[in-house]
Amino acid sequence: MIPAIISVTGAETDYRLAPAVKTYTVFIDKATPVIAFPAAEINATYGETVPLNQLTVTWYEGTVTYSSANEKKAVVDAATGVVTTKGAGDVTIKGIAPETSNFYRAEVNYTLHIAKASPVFAFEKNGLTVALGAAVPENKLNVGLYDGEVQYVSSDETVATVDAQGVVTTLAIGEVTITATGAETENCNEAKKADYTLTVTDPSGISGIAADAASTGKAYDLQGRKVNVQTARKGVYVVGGKKMVVK
């Protein structure tokens, strides 16, 4: 408390030659700041803009500040109160009026509910065409805010395989779908999958000749090994001295 001395002086009268003086002390206590958040709870989504919930200051002489109770979930600009999400979950955002010469310290807070993001995967291209044995060009995958491990799968591993990084290796002529998926994580819901079509063509440029019952001549693969064209897998063969593609 801050003491203040108050003097009271009486007027001169016929009975007193000088005015009387009396004093007393008044103790002035510090005030309690009046601050409040407009909303007690705010809903947001991981990775998206958080609605501003700025302090309303009714009675205070200083500068208010902001802080986060868990910066793994959200950080807040100490001066403006602007919040940036760092993870899904609930976090307390504090508004603080520091103590001054005339005001006590005060603190208020609100709860920020941060929902998981819902990523949508997308390949740069819907389809690729490549010759058998040639390197398959990279088809970049946009994962947005997804923070987990992407899983790649080939619809037909006899035609092409795909590794954990999305690198594709061709094995035979044909068509295959490459799909990317993402499981639910701490901060993200299961991602909406993406896929593209990979067409593997004959490197010789000859295609469209199908084996049928009339193909009775001796058949060999490109390594010179004898094969049965009726049961042969997809690929390029030599039948009767001519190239033939089995699709």
Side-chain angles (χ1 to χ4, degrees):
M1 293 185 181
I2 303 172
I5 298 175
I6 307 298
S7 296
V8 180
T9 304
E12 184 178 348
T13 68
D14 294 338
Y15 303 100
R16 293 181 181 271
L17 297 179
V21 177
K22 297 289 185 179
T23 64
Y24 64 94
T25 302
V26 176
F27 291 91
I28 304 172
D29 197 3
K30 291 184 178 183
T32 299
V34 179
I35 59 174
F37 283 112
E41 297 183 71
I42 293 289
N43 295 316
T45 301
Y46 170 62
E48 298 182 4
T49 301
V50 178
L52 185 61
N53 191 27
Q54 206 165 39
L55 278 171
T56 299
V57 180
T58 305
W59 179 236
Y60 182 63
E61 65 182 2
T63 301
V64 296
T65 61
Y66 301 84
S67 69
S68 169
N70 186 351
E71 294 195 340
K72 291 183 178 180
K73 298 296 183 183
V75 295
V76 59
D77 186 293
T80 65
V82 173
V83 177
T84 303
T85 62
K86 294 295 183 180
D90 292 346
V91 61
T92 299
I93 303 299
K94 302 176 182 179
I96 302 166
E99 185 173 6
T100 69
S101 59
N102 295 316
F103 285 85
Y104 288 116
R105 182 184 186 278
E107 179 179 309
V108 294
N109 58 63
Y110 71 90
T111 301
L112 176 63
H113 304 287
I114 308 171
K116 291 184 177 184
S118 297
V120 177
F121 287 177
F123 280 107
E124 189 174 49
K125 297 179 179 179
N126 293 327
L128 293 175
T129 299
V130 64
L132 177 63
V136 178
E138 180 185 9
N139 193 7
K140 291 183 179 180
L141 177 68
N142 181 359
V143 300
L145 293 168
Y146 186 68
D147 58 354
E149 184 176 340
V150 179
Q151 302 291 327
Y152 295 91
V153 64
S154 167
S155 63
D156 188 347
E157 294 192 341
T158 65
V159 175
T161 59
V162 59
D163 67 14
Q165 285 70 49
V167 178
V168 178
T169 302
T170 61
L171 299 176
I173 295 169
E175 191 173 272
V176 66
T177 299
I178 304 299
T179 303
T181 60
E184 184 176 4
T185 69
E186 183 179 354
N187 298 319
C188 296
N189 294 314
E190 181 180 354
K192 184 176 180 180
K193 68 180 182 179
D195 56 44
Y196 71 93
T197 301
L198 175 66
T199 302
V200 184
T201 62
D202 177 14
S204 70
I206 301 174
S207 61
I209 305 174
D212 54 31
S215 303
T216 57
K218 292 182 180 181
Y220 301 88
D221 63 19
L222 296 183
Q223 285 72 45
R225 296 170 297 196
K226 190 174 182 180
V227 297
N228 183 340
V229 296
Q230 303 302 320
T231 59
R233 59 184 294 179
K234 299 174 183 178
V236 180
Y237 301 93
V238 177
V239 179
K242 297 181 179 180
K243 284 186 179 180
M244 181 185 73
V245 177
V246 176
K247 290 185 174 182

